Amino acid sequence: MRVFLVLLLCLGLATCASHIPQAQILSPADASLAGRHSFELIDPQHSLAGEPPFPERYRQLPQLLRHGLSSRGYHESQQPQLRLYYWLAVQDGPLTFRVDVPPPNALGPYQAIHRLRDETGTLRLRLTDLDQRVLWEGLISTGLSPARDSAELLERAAQVLIDQIPQATP
């Protein structure tokens, strides 16, 4: 009986454990990033076509980015040396499974009737100089989606991605 309770407790804890999103560096830090520490945030509304996928999260992002960059030694300025572009997007695609799979895989017949979709939210950050040269760029995929929208999930993803930006050097 005790073994069953311990196993049940372990299963419950594993279910509650938070997933740490994995950041992907698209453009590693350029050498000219060194010595630059002032930035300006570029409003993504200028580059978006249509309605943003997460309007409430877009309002949350500037403060998260400012706070995260300040912890890395950067500061916002009216005469910036860097521009920070940021985007939230949703990658949405169908999940396909073979429907003619025999038991014990019971998902096949279920998939024949129900169409499952994979929605993955992504946050992309790009640091450029004033001439639009990319000095650093990263992307993080999260469980964030229109169905599972969460301020905490976005905060965790933004922090993991910002931690990949090199510390500002004087």
Side-chain angles (χ1 to χ4, degrees):
M1 182 67 171
R2 281 188 234 177
V3 173
F4 177 72
L5 290 175
V6 169
L7 287 175
L8 190 59
L9 178 63
C10 289
L11 182 62
L13 290 174
T15 304
C16 296
S18 62
H19 169 71
I20 297 174
Q22 295 297 313
Q24 178 183 3
I25 306 305
L26 303 175
S27 295
D30 190 90
S32 58
L33 183 60
R36 300 177 193 232
H37 46 77
S38 62
F39 71 92
E40 73 173 326
L41 289 177
I42 303 300
D43 187 359
Q45 297 298 335
H46 302 298
S47 60
L48 291 175
E51 197 64 28
F54 305 101
E56 188 174 322
R57 298 300 151 234
Y58 264 111
R59 289 188 291 276
Q60 178 187 3
L61 260 176
Q63 186 59 31
L64 289 174
L65 297 174
R66 285 183 187 103
H67 181 267
L69 285 172
S70 71
S71 71
R72 307 286 299 159
Y74 298 91
H75 65 274
E76 195 166 17
S77 172
Q78 295 297 327
Q79 286 92 26
Q81 298 167 315
L82 302 166
R83 290 189 173 123
L84 177 64
Y85 295 88
Y86 58 98
W87 302 272
L88 279 173
V90 176
Q91 296 173 339
D92 184 12
L95 286 174
T96 55
F97 298 98
R98 292 185 45 176
V99 295
D100 59 350
V101 177
N105 186 353
L107 192 55
Y110 180 85
Q111 177 66 20
I113 300 168
H114 302 88
R115 297 294 173 213
L116 304 176
R117 303 201 61 79
D118 178 25
E119 292 179 320
T120 303
T122 59
L123 170 62
R124 184 180 207 129
L125 299 179
R126 179 183 295 159
L127 279 172
T128 69
D129 62 12
L130 300 180
D131 296 326
Q132 302 301 319
R133 277 189 347 183
V134 176
L135 302 178
W136 182 91
E137 186 170 8
L139 172 78
I140 191 160
S141 295
T142 70
L144 190 66
S145 72
R148 289 186 44 201
D149 188 6
S150 162
E152 294 80 22
L153 185 59
L154 180 61
E155 185 176 340
R156 187 171 43 244
Q159 190 58 51
V160 168
L161 189 55
I162 289 170
D163 286 346
Q164 303 303 310
I165 298 173
Q167 284 281 112
T169 56

